[in-house]
Amino acid sequence: MRTQVAIIGGGPAGLLLSQLLHVNGIDSVILERKTRDYVLGRIRAGVLEQGLVRLMEEAGCAGRMHAEGFSHDGALISYGSEMFRIDFAEHTGTPVLIYGQTEVTRDLYDAREKAGGRIEFEVDDVVIRDADTDRPHVQYTRNGTARRIDCEFVAGCDGFHGVSRQAIPLTVRREYEKIYPFGWLGVLSETPPVNHELIYANSERGFALCSMRNDHLSRYYIQCSLSDSPADWTDEAFWEELKRRIPKAQADTLVTGPSIEKSIAPLRSFVTEPMRWGRLFLCGDAAHIVPPTGAKGLNTAASDVHYLYNALREYYRDGSEAGIDAYSERALARVWKAERFSWWFSSLLHRYPDQSAFDLKMQLADLEFLRANKAAQQAMAENYVGLPY
Ligand code: RFL
Ligand code: PHB
C-alpha cells in the first residue's frame, strides 16, 4: 500500500489529523490496533476548548457537536465550607464545550468512513522504518499476514503505550515524568448532573469532580488510592464517598443510580522531546500526558494536530518545509504550558499522602488567593478555556 501520510493510531488525534488532511487533499492511511467499537468504548475527556471546536469545524465534523454539546461559561471550585465560581465569559469571553471524547471520536470515524478513508483495524507488530530518510515505510501484520505501507511522512498518534515514541533513538529522545501518588475513580451514570456547571472539590477526604455529558448523563470522579481497583468500590460506596467530598447543598440533592461505567486512571505528567525525528511526528498522548484535572489531554492532542496538519499542508501546497521544521518547537511550547497548568491545578485540589501541615496551609492560601483575586481568576480562566494557537 502507498500513501502520503501513514498515521499510527485511530484515537481522536489520528482521526482528526486524517480528516483534516483529507479536507486539504492529502491522502493518509490509519493503522489502529483495536476495533472501532473498542476505541468508542473508552470513556475519557468531556471538556473541549474552542481550538478543538474550530478544528472539528474545519474538518467538517461539527454538526452534531454543535447540536448536542453544552456551552459552559464557568466552573465551580469548593474547599472547606467555601465555594466560588471562575467566570470564563467575564475573564476571557470564551466558553468551553461539554461534548464527550467518545462522541468526537464517533463523529470523526463517521466522517472518515463517508469520505472512503482507509483505516486498518486490529493491526499488530507495527514497526516504523527509515523515518530518518525521505522514504519511510511502516510494517505491520493483520490477520496474521505481513503488510507494508510506503509513505512520505509518519504521524505517531498511538497514545502513551504506542510504538511511535520508541522509534526515536534514545540518543535523541529526552523524557520528563512525574507520577502522582493517587488515581481517579470515575463513574458514568444515567442520572441528571448535580449542577449545571462542573464542580472541582478539594475536601479533607480527597479530591472530587462533578462533571457531565448531557442532561441525563453524569460523570463523577473521586481521588482514590493507586492500590484500589474498580471492583473494590460498590456503587453505593462510591456515592457515599462522593457526597462526603462535595458541598452539602449538592450532596443533599445528588441523584444517584447504577453506574454504567467505572474505571480507575492513574495520574501522570509526561513529556518527550523532540516531537519530530526525521519524517516521524509525534502527536497527542504519544508525546505527552497530563493529569486530567485541567481537562487538557484531548485538547493538547488537538493543538498538536493543528500544528502538524498546517505544516503538512504548507509542504504539499507550497513546497515549504518551514512548518515541518518548526513543528516540535511550536507544539512543545504550548504543551509545557498545559503541563504547568494541569500540574498546578492538580496540586491545588488533591490530598497528597506526604502532605505536611505547612503544605496544607500553602494549598489553602493558594485557594483563598484564587477565590479573592481577579487577576488569579483571569489566569486560571485563560488556561482552562485554552491558550491560543
Ligand atoms: P489515544 O486516545 O490513546 O489513542 C491512541 C490510539 O492508538 C492506538 N494504538 C495503536 N495503534 C496501532 N499500533 C499500535 N502499536 C498502537 N498502540 C496504540 C490505541 O488503540 C488508540 O486507539 O491518544 P490520542 O489520540 O493522542 O488522544 C488523547 C486523548 O485520548 C487523551 O489525551 C485524553 O483522553 C486524556 N484523558 C482525559 N483528557 C481530558 O482532557 N479530560 C479527561 O477527563 C480525560 N480522562 C484521559 C481520561 C485518559 C485516560 N487514559 C489514557 C487511560 C481518562 C483516562 C482513563
Ligand atoms: C470529564 O467530564 O470526564 C472531565 C471533566 C473535566 C476534567 C476531567 C474530566 O477536568
Side-chain angles (χ1 to χ4, degrees):
M1 216 185 321
R2 183 170 287 280
T3 187
Q4 288 169 301
V5 184
I7 298 175
I8 323 286
L15 288 162
L16 182 60
L17 178 65
S18 177
Q19 181 65 11
L20 286 164
L21 291 176
H22 164 75
V23 167
N24 287 279
I26 302 165
D27 185 58
S28 66
V29 174
I30 295 177
L31 299 179
E32 169 55 51
R33 194 174 48 164
K34 303 286 190 183
T35 63
R36 176 186 164 133
D37 283 349
Y38 182 95
V39 176
L40 288 174
R42 293 190 286 227
I43 309 294
R44 291 186 176 176
V47 180
L48 312 191
E49 295 175 358
Q50 287 306 309
L52 174 49
V53 170
R54 270 194 307 276
L55 287 172
M56 288 291 282
E57 286 166 352
E58 279 179 53
C61 299
R64 196 165 70 95
M65 182 182 75
H66 283 307
E68 296 179 15
F70 292 81
S71 195
H72 280 197
D73 281 330
L76 296 150
I77 297 178
S78 77
Y79 65 98
S81 56
E82 301 286 346
M83 181 149 80
F84 63 96
R85 181 169 181 268
I86 305 281
D87 192 323
F88 307 145
E90 177 194 341
H91 291 298
T92 69
T94 307
V96 291
L97 192 73
I98 302 301
Y99 189 65
Q101 177 169 332
T102 312
E103 307 310 319
V104 170
T105 309
R106 187 187 306 281
D107 293 344
L108 288 166
Y109 269 131
D110 288 350
R112 288 286 53 223
E113 212 161 73
K114 209 164 149 195
R118 288 181 285 174
I119 306 181
E120 296 266 276
F121 288 102
E122 297 183 86
V123 304
D124 280 313
D125 311 319
V126 171
V127 183
I128 301 163
R129 299 267 185 222
D130 301 334
D132 56 341
T133 73
D134 286 349
R135 290 160 198 259
H137 68 272
V138 181
Q139 295 170 335
Y140 62 101
T141 57
R142 187 156 178 262
N143 297 328
T145 310
R147 295 171 190 228
R148 169 181 170 134
I149 300 182
D150 291 286
C151 55
E152 286 154 15
F153 296 98
V154 180
C157 304
D158 48 353
F160 184 65
H161 300 288
V163 295
S164 301
R165 187 172 67 250
Q166 321 296 340
I168 303 182
L170 278 168
T171 48
V172 177
R173 182 157 44 104
R174 174 114 199 244
E175 297 184 343
Y176 304 83
E177 184 170 51
K178 178 181 173 63
I179 309 271
Y180 297 78
F182 39 72
W184 276 21
L185 170 63
V187 156
L188 191 68
S189 72
E190 284 169 329
T191 52
V194 70
N195 191 60
H196 69 286
E197 289 179 341
L198 271 62
I199 303 176
Y200 288 89
N202 172 324
S203 99
E204 59 184 26
R205 299 181 66 89
F207 170 76
L209 170 61
C210 305
S211 182
M212 67 202 71
R213 293 294 176 268
N214 58 48
D215 285 343
H216 319 285
L217 196 56
S218 298
R219 181 72 166 157
Y220 295 103
Y221 297 94
I222 55 173
Q223 175 184 347
C224 67
S225 162
L226 278 174
S227 58
D228 286 3
S229 87
D232 299 335
W233 286 86
T234 61
D235 288 354
E236 231 165 56
F238 177 86
W239 294 122
E240 279 315 303
E241 188 57 37
L242 178 67
K243 282 185 195 174
R244 290 194 191 109
R245 297 185 187 193
I246 61 178
K248 185 171 183 315
Q250 279 70 34
D252 288 346
T253 53
L254 179 76
V255 179
T256 63
S259 64
I260 54 173
E261 195 265 357
K262 195 186 280 160
S263 54
I264 290 182
L267 269 70
R268 182 194 303 272
S269 298
F270 174 87
V271 180
T272 192
E273 294 186 343
M275 287 173 58
R276 174 214 179 176
W277 185 61
R279 288 189 165 228
L280 167 64
F281 300 87
L282 302 181
C283 240
D285 279 14
H288 41 74
I289 297 287
V290 287
T293 324
K296 290 284 158 253
L298 174 61
N299 291 302
T300 312
S303 59
D304 293 349
V305 168
H306 164 85
Y307 294 124
L308 182 53
Y309 112 82
N310 278 297
L312 291 169
R313 189 166 64 158
E314 271 172 46
Y315 175 85
Y316 283 110
R317 192 189 53 194
D318 310 330
S320 164
E321 296 195 10
I324 284 173
D325 289 340
Y327 170 71
S328 181
E329 205 177 315
R330 278 185 188 154
L332 283 166
R334 192 172 186 281
V335 162
W336 276 115
K337 293 185 190 100
E339 291 283 344
R340 186 208 66 83
F341 176 68
S342 306
W343 160 81
W344 167 75
F345 203 37
S346 299
S347 312
L348 185 72
L349 296 173
H350 290 82
R351 290 297 154 122
Y352 288 67
D354 60 350
Q355 224 165 4
S356 67
F358 179 83
D359 296 336
L360 280 168
K361 284 286 190 190
M362 287 298 98
Q363 199 182 56
L364 183 61
D366 209 351
L367 282 160
E368 293 196 335
F369 183 66
L370 183 61
R371 177 168 66 90
N373 188 283
K374 289 280 177 198
Q377 290 181 10
Q378 165 110 20
M380 151 71 191
E382 283 181 17
N383 278 281
Y384 195 90
V385 304
L387 297 175
Y389 55 89

